[in-house]
């Protein structure tokens, strides 16, 4: 499916054999034929966070130095102790660490990327200034809201003995605002049309600097296809994590922890995400990813591999070092699979 995401997708761009896919020229085909390379010159650390004698859950008296100023991949089979070490022990050692997970984002039924990032207030102010009216008119829970659905765009009927019935509002037809509000325009678009724009289109539309800055960050984390008004509860775990990352990028966070940020991403999107993580490190930040994706592992500066197995068979650090050394490590399942990943193109192994 493709060729892109959101408004750029929705069509079948190839169907057939794997060999044909590699030669098709689609985004998936191009990446299937690529052999991942190991990072040739890993960055040098500028200090470390020391974890000593960690025994949380299945960790077996683990002591490890997590380097600062680099991209660190924490690897191992599921249940090997990665989350216990990084989520459980690292923040206790250094409270300044910011953990960005895939947990649900708190909010109401009105919550969307524009409200969550704070740019909706600026957008409302821009509409108000352009039309010489109050900004409250452009809020779906204030003066401009449809009185029938209270600005939700949907009506919710609870019958008690069965699941809640949700239907599109018959008055505003899901637009959330009154007809009067929809007559007001900013650069030719009303508030509903503006909120329906995907991030990458909105970057070209809005000239207001606070909005542009945040939209650029959303695009950087791979959310260019998400519309400004998309309900937050429709976002996947990976999308929620990247949305949180976009907000954290505007702060003074020094150490980021991301939990499997490549979940649900296409190979092309993984490339873009790694590029973003590299830019964060180049800007002086430390990025620690708990990750299974071998492309991320291959392009990290430092790898901490836990295992050798899961549960009571794990909980030990079995490797610390650059990915180039991991491929030769004995006793590491991650090293075995990384060696295969960098040894031959995926297309060849599929034959």
């Amino acid at each position: 499916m493709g060729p892109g995401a959101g408004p750029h997708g929705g069509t079948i761009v190839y169907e057939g054999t794997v060999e044909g896919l590699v030669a098709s020229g689609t985004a998936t085909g191009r990446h299937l034929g690529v052999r991942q390379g190991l990072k040739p010159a890993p960055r040098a650390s500028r200090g470390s966070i020391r974890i000593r004698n960690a025994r949380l859950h299945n960790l077996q008296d683990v002591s490890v130095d997590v380097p600062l100023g680099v991209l660190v991949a924490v690897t191992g089979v599921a249940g090997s102790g990665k989350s216990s070490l990084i989520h459980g022990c690292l923040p206790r050692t250094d409270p300044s660490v910011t953990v960005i997970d895939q947990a649900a984002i708190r909010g109401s039924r009105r919550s969307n990327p524009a409200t969550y990032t704070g740019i909706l207030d600026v957008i409302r102010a821009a509409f108000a200034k352009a039309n010489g009216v109050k900004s409250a008119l452009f809020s779906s829970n204030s003066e401009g809201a449809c009185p029938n659905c209270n600005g939700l765009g949907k009506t919710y009927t609870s019958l008690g003995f069965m699941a809640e019935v949700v239907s599109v509002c018959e008055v505003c037809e899901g637009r959330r605002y009154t007809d009067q509000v929809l007559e007001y325009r900013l650069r030719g678009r009303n508030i509903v049309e503006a909120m329906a724009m995907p991030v990458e289109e909105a970057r070209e539309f809005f000239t207001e600097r606070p909005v542009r800055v945040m939209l650029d960050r959303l695009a950087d984390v791979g959310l260019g296809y998400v519309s400004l008004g998309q309900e937050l509860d429709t976002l996947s775990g990976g999308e929620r994590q990247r949305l949180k990352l976009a907000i954290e990028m505007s702060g003074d966070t020094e150490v980021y922890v991301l939990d499997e940020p490549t979940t649900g991403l296409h190979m092309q999107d993984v490339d873009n995400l790694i590029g973003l993580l590299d830019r964060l490190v180049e800007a002086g930040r430390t990025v620690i990813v708990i990750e299974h994706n071998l492309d991320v592992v291959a392009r990290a500066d430092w790898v901490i591999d836990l295992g050798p197995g899961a549960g009571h068979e794990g909980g030990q650090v079995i490797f610390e070092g650059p990915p180039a050394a991991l491929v030769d490590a004995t006793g590491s399942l991650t090293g075995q699979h990384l060696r295969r990943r960098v040894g031959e193109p995926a297309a060849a192994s599929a034959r």
Side-chain angles (χ1 to χ4, degrees):
M1 300 294 290
H8 303 301
T11 59
I12 296 176
V13 293
Y14 174 82
E15 50 183 324
T17 64
V18 174
E19 289 81 0
L21 176 60
V22 174
S24 67
T26 66
T28 304
R30 290 194 301 271
H31 283 81
L32 273 180
V34 171
R35 178 165 56 192
Q36 183 59 259
L38 296 168
K39 178 170 282 187
R43 305 176 185 90
S45 67
R46 49 175 175 78
S48 64
I49 300 175
R50 303 176 65 193
I51 299 176
R52 292 293 178 265
N53 308 116
R55 297 184 178 88
L56 182 64
H57 302 313
N58 67 329
L59 295 178
Q60 300 182 29
D61 198 26
V62 169
S63 294
V64 65
D65 293 340
V66 181
L68 295 172
V70 297
L71 174 57
V72 181
V74 181
T75 60
V77 299
S80 60
K82 303 184 299 298
S83 294
S84 296
L85 181 67
I86 301 302
H87 278 297
C89 299
L90 186 64
R92 298 179 186 179
T93 303
D94 188 340
S96 67
V97 169
T98 297
V99 177
I100 305 174
D101 58 24
Q102 299 187 15
I105 297 173
R106 291 183 180 180
S108 68
R109 288 168 172 162
R110 306 174 193 275
S111 300
N112 53 54
T115 60
Y116 188 69
T117 58
I119 62 175
L120 182 57
D121 289 339
V122 182
I123 293 173
R124 290 171 50 215
F127 268 93
K129 182 178 180 180
N131 294 279
V133 295
K134 296 184 294 184
S135 63
L137 285 173
F138 305 99
S139 171
S140 63
N141 63 349
S142 188
E143 296 182 26
C146 167
N148 185 63
C149 63
N150 296 317
L152 290 172
K154 302 173 184 177
T155 55
Y156 297 83
T157 305
S158 179
L159 301 179
F161 57 88
M162 61 182 293
E164 189 174 50
V165 177
V166 183
S167 55
V168 176
C169 176
E170 296 179 354
V171 175
C172 69
E173 298 179 334
R175 292 189 294 264
R176 299 175 179 247
Y177 298 90
T178 64
D179 290 339
Q180 176 192 0
V181 171
L182 299 184
E183 294 177 359
Y184 299 122
R185 296 185 174 270
L186 174 67
R187 304 181 196 107
R189 301 201 182 194
N190 62 35
I191 185 66
V192 173
E193 294 166 338
M195 293 297 287
M197 288 190 290
V199 167
E200 51 188 34
E201 182 181 350
R203 293 170 72 191
E204 304 298 323
F205 177 80
F206 288 104
T207 59
E208 292 73 21
R209 178 170 173 74
V211 178
R212 286 291 300 273
V213 169
M214 182 53 68
L215 292 177
D216 286 344
R217 292 188 179 125
L218 291 173
D220 276 345
V221 298
L223 295 178
Y225 60 91
V226 173
S227 67
L228 301 186
Q230 183 171 339
E231 296 177 2
L232 288 186
D233 60 6
T234 66
L235 299 180
S236 69
E239 288 170 334
R240 291 194 296 265
Q241 185 177 48
R242 282 177 279 146
L243 178 58
K244 295 174 185 177
L245 176 60
I247 294 175
E248 291 294 339
M249 286 168 61
S250 63
D252 56 359
T253 298
E254 292 294 327
V255 181
Y256 295 102
V257 170
L258 302 177
D259 193 351
E260 298 187 37
T262 62
T263 299
L265 292 187
H266 185 272
M267 295 87 84
Q268 179 172 289
D269 297 320
V270 171
D271 274 348
N272 294 335
L273 177 64
I274 296 172
L276 168 65
L277 301 182
D278 277 332
R279 290 195 295 276
L280 288 172
V281 175
E282 291 297 330
R285 316 288 181 92
T286 299
V287 179
I288 304 166
V289 292
I290 301 172
E291 192 55 81
H292 294 288
N293 187 291
L294 293 175
D295 289 355
V296 177
V297 178
R299 293 162 64 177
D301 298 299
W302 194 260
V303 181
I304 299 174
D305 192 39
L306 278 84
H312 67 274
E313 296 179 354
Q316 305 173 53
V317 174
I318 56 178
F319 173 84
E320 301 175 65
L326 177 59
V327 296
D328 296 322
T330 59
S332 169
L333 293 173
T334 305
Q336 292 178 27
H337 287 275
L338 181 62
R339 184 163 56 250
R340 292 170 55 188
R341 177 69 180 101
V342 301
E344 61 178 338
S349 62
R351 296 190 181 98

